[in-house]
Amino acid sequence: MVMYPGAVITGGNSTAQGSAVYMDADSTLTMRGGKIMNCQTTLEGGAIFNDMGTLNIYGGEISGNKSTVKPAGGIYNNDGVLNISGGVIQSNYGKTYGGGIYSTGDSSEITISDGAVIKDNYANAGGGVYINKGTVTMTGGEINHNFAYKKHGTSATAGGGGGGTINSSGTFIMSGGTICDNYTYQNVGNGFGIAIFGTFEMSGNAVLTNNDILVAKNRSICLTDKLNCAGTAAVITPANYLTTTKVLSGDAMGLNYSKFEVTPTATETWYVNSAGYLMNTPVINVASLSKFGAYTVDYVSVAQAVNAVAAGESGIITIIADNTINETIKVYGDVTILSETDQTYTSMRGGSFTGTLFEVQAGGTLRLGYSDEKIWGEDISTDSEEEATFTLDSVGGQYILD
């Protein structure tokens, strides 16, 4: 079935799943235009119930539809495929979850790309999108001005997630697009952008504007690659404000952690460090690591920087502030530690620590010394003697172990 501009389905009022359209297994509906509007049901899917079919939305409008008792005012996607690269899903109402879209079923796949707009939808939780199960991949488009009636609790079904809610078995992969200006009951600090009770990955051009991300207990934002935004990628509201709370994870965590802010409490300002943990003191970076073929990443301790150089890897660590060492640092890779140009910085034993400062493992190499220039993001392979050698005759800074 294909809908073109000018086609209109409206006024459906039923007690069946999918008041306007029910899609059976292996069926396909493609919207290139037209409208599905002002339909309602007491079951799932005020407009469309996609039961293991394929729904392609390239244009048109799904608006003003309601599920007065169950989830999904707009689209209920049950183990189906939903591709949205155009059109508008707006002003739909889901009594419980997923005002615009509700996803369930382990095989459910939803793709949101450039041209897609999901806005002004509302539900108790997951005003724009509710991911009960399955995977939503967002590479472009917008999720904006959606509303969740209830504030968050200890589960995804409690409320929150104006833009979207990810349940424990759901996955949201965001590499582009914008989530902005969504809101919830009692607004600030209730996940008015996204509420994470499942898996949420960010990379590339992903950004949340004027919205926070609620990170539930034992959950985190997984950073899989560099974030390209110049400023803040998102504001985090953790369920637990503790220095043992980890809110970021993933291979690109150290590269991106400084792009995240934390919603303050009434009495404290909080931060995220390069290991992804909350801190209630400002983050002070003391070491900058450059690895061949990778970006420069700052760390809050020398130990973290050294541990980031695995066996078989080479890295130059530039010390950029005085610091303390409170543990024996094991060196597995080829590590060179230098001081920032024209500076002298000291690494001192901290507290009662009296052990060995560095323990070089089999196959590892440790070089300590001077540098007359910063080498950030340069080729540090040993192709030439000039690249591989750092001598005490240099005129740069000095690194001192005390």
Side-chain angles (χ1 to χ4, degrees), residues 215-220 236-249 253 262 270-273 275-280:
V215 180
K217 183 179 180 180
N218 298 323
R219 297 295 177 178
S220 63
I236 297 171
T237 300
N240 297 310
Y241 282 87
L242 300 169
T243 56
T244 55
T245 298
K246 189 176 179 67
V247 293
L248 298 179
S249 60
M253 175 181 59
V262 180
W270 288 78
Y271 310 87
V272 184
N273 67 20
Y277 288 92
L278 293 178
M279 296 179 64
N280 55 2

Side-chain angles (χ1 to χ4, degrees), residues 326-342:
N326 299 295
E327 61 183 305
T328 297
I329 301 173
K330 294 184 178 182
V331 181
Y332 294 94
D334 187 333
V335 176
T336 299
I337 302 180
L338 308 168
S339 186
E340 189 177 29
T341 303
D342 298 327

Side-chain angles (χ1 to χ4, degrees), residues 319-377:
I319 303 301
I320 56 177
D322 292 332
N323 60 91
T324 57
I325 295 178
N326 299 295
E327 61 183 305
T328 297
I329 301 173
K330 294 184 178 182
V331 181
Y332 294 94
D334 187 333
V335 176
T336 299
I337 302 180
L338 308 168
S339 186
E340 189 177 29
T341 303
D342 298 327
Q343 299 291 330
T344 299
Y345 292 119
T346 302
S347 292
M348 301 180 64
R349 295 178 190 272
S352 59
F353 176 63
T354 59
T356 302
L357 291 177
F358 293 93
E359 185 178 295
V360 183
Q361 307 298 297
T365 301
L366 176 62
R367 301 180 181 88
L368 305 177
Y370 302 72
S371 174
D372 60 1
E373 62 178 357
K374 296 179 184 178
I375 307 176
W376 289 10

Side-chain angles (χ1 to χ4, degrees), residues 25 72 81 85 100 103 113 118 138 164 192 206 208 227 230 246 257 259 266 279 297 353 355 361 372 374 394:
V81 174
S85 60
S103 168
S113 57
I118 301 170
M138 186 174 184
F192 51 95
L208 281 82
L227 290 168
K246 189 176 179 67
Y257 75 96
K259 294 181 181 291
M279 296 179 64
V297 179
F353 176 63
Q361 307 298 297
D372 60 1
K374 296 179 184 178
S394 302

